[in-house]
């Protein structure tokens, strides 16, 4: 992995694609990765792991904060 990262850095420095080297924003990951997305908007090192965990956490937080079905949010 380290050798692969060094190779990516060397190639990026030569061909001007340095901006594609990013750090995964997942608090429990923080790995560096090369953004292969055409639009250069890649966020996660692996969507199947880091991105999916983040989306699941956000979903649980929304479900936890949403009022239960059939209950009013208003106090009378």
């Amino acid at each position: 992995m380290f050798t692969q990262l060094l190779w990516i850095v060397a190639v990026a420095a030569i061909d001007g694609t340095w901006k594609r080297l990013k750090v995964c924003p997942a608090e429990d990951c923080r790995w560096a990765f090369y953004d292969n997305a055409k639009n250069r908007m890649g966020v996660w090192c692996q969507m199947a792991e880091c991105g999916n965990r983040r989306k699941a956490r956000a979903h649980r937080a929304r479900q936890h904060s949403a009022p239960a079905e059939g209950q009013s949010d208003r106090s009378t």
Side-chain angles (χ1 to χ4, degrees):
M1 181 69 179
F2 184 71
T3 305
Q4 182 181 10
L5 180 60
L6 286 178
W7 177 253
I8 290 169
V9 170
V11 170
I14 292 168
D15 69 9
T17 57
W18 183 254
K19 290 182 180 183
R20 289 184 177 260
L21 186 63
K22 299 180 179 181
V23 175
C24 181
E27 299 85 15
D28 53 350
C29 179
R30 307 298 290 172
W31 277 91
F33 70 98
Y34 187 76
D35 179 8
N36 288 318
K38 270 188 173 181
N39 63 359
R40 299 180 184 183
M41 298 296 290
V43 177
W44 309 102
C45 64
Q46 293 184 17
M47 184 60 199
E49 292 180 25
C50 295
N52 191 40
R53 282 193 309 248
R54 176 68 177 160
K55 287 182 175 188
R57 287 180 191 136
H59 175 74
R60 285 193 303 267
R62 284 192 307 272
Q63 295 301 315
H64 181 69
S65 64
E69 281 188 41
Q71 293 181 350
S72 175
D73 210 17
R74 298 180 296 193
S75 299
T76 52

